[in-house]
Amino acid sequence: MSKIKYVYFCNVDKLMNKDNIILEPPHKWQLFEPINIGKCWIKNRIAMAPMGLVGMVNPDGSINRRIVDYYVERAKGGVGLIITGLTRVENEIEKLMLDGRHILPILNSIKYVTSHSELTEEVHHWGARIFVQLTAGTGRVIATLALLSGVQPVSASEVPCYWLPTLKTRAITREEIKQLVKAFGDAAEYAALAGYDGIELHGHEGYLLDQFTSSVWNLRNDEYGGSLENRLRLPIEILDEIKSRVGRDFPVVYRFGVKHFLKHYNNPGLPGEEFQEVGRDINEGVEMAKILEKAGFDALHVDAGCYDSWYMAHPPEYMPHGCLVDFAAAVKKNVSIPVITVGRLDDPFVAEKALRKGVADMVAIGRGLLADPEWPNKVRNGLFEEIRPCIGCHECFYRIIELARPLSCAVNPRTGRERVLELKPVEVKRKVIVIGGGVAGMELARVAKIRGHEVVLFEQDKELGGHLIEAGAVDFKSDIRRLKSWYERQLAKLGVDVRLNVRADTNVVLKEDPDVIVVATGSKCLIPPIPGVERPFVTNAIDVLRGRKEPGHEVVIIGAGLVGVELGIWLKQKGKNVSIVEMLPAPNVSVSHANKLYLMTMLKYLKIPIYLETKVESIEDGRVIAITPSGRIELPCDTVILCTGLTPVRDLYEQLRKIHPNVYLIGDALSPRKIRDAVWDAYYLASSL
């Protein structure tokens, strides 16, 4: 365990120390050197990584103004290359639709050219290039949608589906392969006609092309199975078809994972862990890169992971910035065509160092450009502290995959709603009093001030941040600290009147003669009625994370929500013996599948016992008595940490709403939820004041 401790949880602050400072002015960094992919000239080496547009397309699969605005915002922000979210080339084989509606863009008819050309033209006006990412389909990884569409999922062979392992795919036929290859050629012609500068083939993450190229899913005994060369036959046939249709000079990039991190179906490996790889390993990934270069691909977009190890394909907050660059480095040593690297590269120093070390030729940034579309321009001008940080929460994907809602961002409500949520100056300036300096209060103050209101913010603590303070206390959540610091700097820059160490009451507030009062007083720990909960060795997560209470060696955590699970892993990494007790039949971790999978895999790897469907009966000296489905147990402990949820703090709101006509409640004071909810509550309210 100790040998890979820091592989998992990296302190981002260590990545920003003086050893990483590069002395040249940022506009002279390699990030801003031009590059060619094939014969396509790109103004800098920053690419917008492809991210799915689920929930944003029109019912017929065409793109709309909302999507155009979304990409144009990033082009305006200075990105050199935009790679769109995966776009389908046909709908006859998978028939992937939901209630008769396309859930992803499709480019299989000339009727789609007009909407795509609107996108490419506007992106080009801002000096950016744009490649369309084309996909062969989803195969085993989106089986539930295939079932809802009334069809059996397809793959290279008959293999278990990811989300429903009891369901098997059917093997795609040779005739369907030919049909698929032709569809890529058709889509390429439409893409060129629409003004795209190139194509990226989506051969990553365990989607259909990846299923063909990996022996764990490709069990065929025809010319498309067996050897690595045979398994690569389909993407190479697609490449040849595209080049024959639109010319050899039209650039085509291949995106793939060098290593799958797969022990078996639905059984992922961790970075740094020793295990037998049953998917693609690094050696095969490098050989694959050589074959793809020889076949004529113009660049390689190097990633890692698959659905079964989704935290590698979509690294969560627990993984360090630049966590995947070593995979690009392995490929870069063996090919001469440009290599694009990924993996939480929104830290500009990490991104620049990747290029300077020669591990890649371009960096692709995804979620960092959702959080701040102006990332390239801010970096170029040395405005590092102005960059709104991505916090790695994956709320963007959680909404798409688990909630079937459009792409968005926890810290940037305008993502995907650029036109609708554009801030406009106020017509009538008001005095706005904000009570509470947590994330909701800070966002409300920031947006209201930008729009032109006079804003006063009261915070009873000695610093701003609220629950961000304890949320960012552990090393592997240091991006939360970055977000807190960003807000503090923004409020100072905007000239918001922030008054710390002031416990606001009705007299304090009304003395300011406010036009609007916004109560963002947050929440406090919910204390369950457990016998013995008042004992001195019983504490809560907030006090532990803020350093008010130092836990002993034998720790029992009550509650397996996100806080309890993260706290348990952190304490285990610090050498504590940890047990977790949860009343529900599964941990109540309502986050993105990538983040949750990582946490659950870490619990298993670190051997942290978690007692599910278990109720704490009492807390006694040196032990917790609990009732499990198998009977009564005793857990030894010298510390009990309550992670049993939060309850709103609304006392002041209840007083103020009776004496002032314009009082609003936001954030945890309204209902304890996620950072996204607090930020969005505040943004929507402030944009309407």
Side-chain angles (χ1 to χ4, degrees), residues 431-446 454-461 463-466 487-488 491 495-504 508-509 512 518 520 666:
K431 186 170 186 180
V432 179
I433 301 299
V434 183
I435 307 165
V439 66
M442 291 190 293
E443 176 70 357
L444 190 289
R446 183 187 75 88
E454 178 186 355
V455 182
V456 178
L457 186 154
F458 291 110
E459 169 54 49
Q460 66 179 3
D461 207 341
E463 62 178 313
L464 294 171
Y487 270 115
E488 290 172 325
L491 297 187
V496 173
D497 184 357
V498 175
R499 303 180 191 179
L500 300 176
N501 295 305
V502 177
R503 188 176 185 87
V508 169
V509 173
E512 297 293 328
V518 180
I666 61 172

Side-chain angles (χ1 to χ4, degrees), residues 559-571:
L562 180 62
V563 174
V565 170
E566 288 181 342
L567 182 62
I569 291 172
W570 180 58
L571 291 176

Side-chain angles (χ1 to χ4, degrees), residues 88-100:
R88 305 184 68 225
V89 300
E90 63 84 42
N91 195 49
E92 296 302 313
I93 299 172
E94 275 198 318
K95 296 181 173 61
L96 190 64
M97 301 182 76
L98 188 61
D99 296 330

Side-chain angles (χ1 to χ4, degrees), residues 62-218:
S62 61
I63 64 174
N64 49 40
R65 186 69 232 180
R66 180 177 182 179
I67 292 172
V68 173
D69 291 340
Y70 163 72
Y71 284 123
V72 168
E73 189 81 1
R74 277 77 199 167
K76 288 168 60 178
V79 71
L81 173 65
I82 290 172
I83 306 173
T84 71
L86 67 172
T87 300
R88 305 184 68 225
V89 300
E90 63 84 42
N91 195 49
E92 296 302 313
I93 299 172
E94 275 198 318
K95 296 181 173 61
L96 190 64
M97 301 182 76
L98 188 61
D99 296 330
R101 298 169 296 160
H102 287 273
I103 61 171
L104 291 170
I106 191 166
L107 192 54
N108 67 340
S109 168
I110 197 168
K111 74 177 184 179
Y112 297 111
V113 169
T114 299
S115 62
H116 282 268
S117 63
E118 183 179 9
L119 168 62
T120 61
E121 285 180 351
E122 294 201 29
V123 164
H124 288 153
H125 289 321
W126 294 97
R129 304 297 189 186
I130 183 167
F131 288 10
V132 61
Q133 187 188 66
L134 300 180
T135 181
T138 60
R140 66 180 285 267
V141 299
I142 309 289
T144 49
L145 288 176
L147 286 178
L148 289 172
S149 302
V151 297
Q152 184 181 6
V154 300
S155 184
S157 305
E158 183 182 290
V159 293
C161 293
Y162 175 67
W163 297 103
L164 297 171
T166 55
L167 176 67
K168 296 290 186 69
T169 61
R170 69 169 179 86
I172 192 172
T173 67
R174 287 182 178 177
E175 290 72 22
E176 288 172 325
I177 291 175
K178 293 178 181 178
Q179 179 182 343
L180 191 58
V181 171
K182 179 182 180 300
F184 270 96
D186 294 341
E189 289 188 343
Y190 300 135
L193 185 60
Y196 283 105
D197 301 291
I199 288 169
E200 178 174 277
L201 295 189
H202 188 264
H204 174 46
E205 206 175 339
Y207 280 75
L208 189 54
L209 275 184
D210 202 15
Q211 291 163 41
F212 262 89
T213 60
S214 175
S215 60
V216 71
W217 301 303
N218 186 337

Side-chain angles (χ1 to χ4, degrees), residues 24 33 58 123 134 162 179 181 193 196 198 219 269 271 280 323 512-513 521 532 559 577 592 620 622:
E24 292 89 340
E33 287 294 315
N58 293 324
V123 164
L134 300 180
Y162 175 67
Q179 179 182 343
V181 171
L193 185 60
Y196 283 105
L219 310 176
R280 183 181 303 118
C323 54
E512 297 293 328
D513 192 23
T521 44
N577 286 336
S592 164
E620 301 179 5

Side-chain angles (χ1 to χ4, degrees), residues 49-51 141 162 202-207 210 217 255-262 268-269 271 301-316 319 323-324 327 341-344 364 366-367 394 396-397 592-595 597-598:
M51 288 167 283
V141 299
Y162 175 67
H202 188 264
H204 174 46
E205 206 175 339
Y207 280 75
D210 202 15
W217 301 303
R255 188 179 194 206
F256 72 108
V258 171
K259 181 177 174 62
H260 279 137
F261 284 88
L262 188 58
H301 193 164
V302 177
D303 212 310
C306 57
Y307 262 67
D308 305 66
S309 58
W310 226 24
Y311 45 74
M312 296 305 304
H314 302 286
M319 296 177 67
C323 54
L324 303 181
F327 300 109
T341 187
V342 297
R344 304 202 69 211
R367 289 167 291 160
H394 267 127
C396 44
F397 287 166
S592 164
H593 181 66
N595 296 43
L597 181 63
Y598 195 97

Side-chain angles (χ1 to χ4, degrees), residues 578-591:
V578 179
S579 299
I580 304 176
V581 178
E582 171 59 52
M583 292 180 65
L584 297 176
N588 186 24
V589 181
S590 57
V591 294

